[in-house]
Amino acid sequence: MTDALAQPHTDREALPVELVDDVGRAVGACSVAEAHLAPGRLHRAFSVLLFDSAGRVLLQQRAAVKTRFPSLWANTCCGHPAPGEPVATAAGLRLTEEMGLTIALTEAGIYRYHAADLRTGRVESEWDHVLIGRLDIGAPRPDPAEVADFAWIHPDALRDALADNPDAYTPWLAGVLDVAEHAQVRRISAP
C-alpha cells in the first residue's frame, strides 16, 4: 500500500476526461472542470465499491472541499480515467490515492446518470463504469484532502438510509449499489 498522504497535490479539475456518446464511444476530451459545467457533458467515469467478507460495503464521506457534492456519503471512491486510459487501471490508482488501498477490481457494469449539484452549480453527466472488489485484510487510510470519513454498512441498511435521508448521499450511490449488488449475485450464483 502507498501512503496516501505522501502523494503530490494534483489539480484534479484541470485533468482531461474522455467525452463519450450515448453508447459510450469516445468522441473527444475536455477538462474535468469543463465537463461538469452546466448543462454537463457526458463523459467516462468510474465508481468503486468494496465489499468485505460480511457482505458490507465501504462508503466514504466526501471532503468538504470537493467541487461536486461535498460532504455527502458516496461509494468507496470515484473518478475519471484519462482519455484512452484503461478504466480498471485508473480506478485502482484512485483507490490508492483516496483510500490508501490496493485491491484487485472487477468491472460490474455501467451506470449512466445525470445529476445537478444545486449547492455548487456543477453537473455530473457520467457514463460510469462500476468496479467492485473485496477487502478482507487491511484498513482504509484515507487522504483527508479527499475523504472526511468512512464507514462499513450492510446494503439493506444503506438502502433504508438512502430512503430515509437521501440528501446525505450522492445521487449516484443507489445506482452504483444496484449495479454492484447485481454483479455480486451473478458471481455467487455462477457455476
Side-chain angles (χ1 to χ4, degrees):
M1 284 196 248
T2 306
D3 183 355
L5 298 177
Q7 300 298 318
H9 175 72
T10 300
D11 178 4
R12 303 205 65 77
E13 295 295 300
L15 294 175
V17 296
E18 185 171 76
L19 301 174
V20 298
D21 65 14
D22 286 335
V23 294
R25 289 184 301 234
V27 295
C30 69
S31 70
V32 169
E34 182 182 342
H36 292 93
L37 293 175
R41 298 182 71 184
L42 184 61
H43 60 280
R44 194 170 314 284
F46 58 80
S47 289
V48 174
L49 193 60
L50 297 184
F51 291 81
D52 70 4
S53 59
R56 300 177 304 172
V57 294
L58 179 61
L59 302 183
Q60 69 154 274
Q61 183 182 28
R62 295 167 62 82
V65 297
K66 293 278 191 173
T67 59
R68 296 169 305 281
F69 302 97
S71 302
L72 298 186
W73 286 92
N75 47 285
T76 309
C77 86
C78 52
H80 306 92
E85 181 180 24
V87 173
T89 300
L93 291 170
R94 193 73 182 130
L95 182 61
T96 300
E97 292 170 356
E98 282 194 14
M99 299 298 287
L101 297 168
T102 302
I103 305 289
L105 300 173
T106 302
E107 189 158 347
I110 301 292
Y111 176 61
R112 182 177 172 182
Y113 69 93
H114 186 91
D117 184 347
L118 300 178
R119 291 174 294 169
T120 67
R122 306 287 171 81
V123 174
E124 297 275 359
S125 184
E126 311 224 347
W127 184 270
D128 195 17
H129 296 256
V130 178
L131 296 102
I132 57 175
R134 188 162 155 161
L135 177 61
D136 291 320
I137 299 172
R141 295 187 330 232
D143 177 350
E146 299 282 349
V147 179
D149 199 1
F150 66 91
W152 288 98
I153 186 170
H154 285 281
D156 288 342
L158 176 54
R159 287 190 193 291
D160 290 344
L162 284 161
D164 292 343
N165 189 12
D167 292 341
Y169 299 90
T170 58
W172 62 86
L173 181 56
V176 167
L177 179 62
D178 287 344
V179 171
E181 278 197 307
H182 183 64
Q184 284 287 95
V185 169
R186 283 194 324 258
R187 287 173 72 183
I188 292 169
S189 61

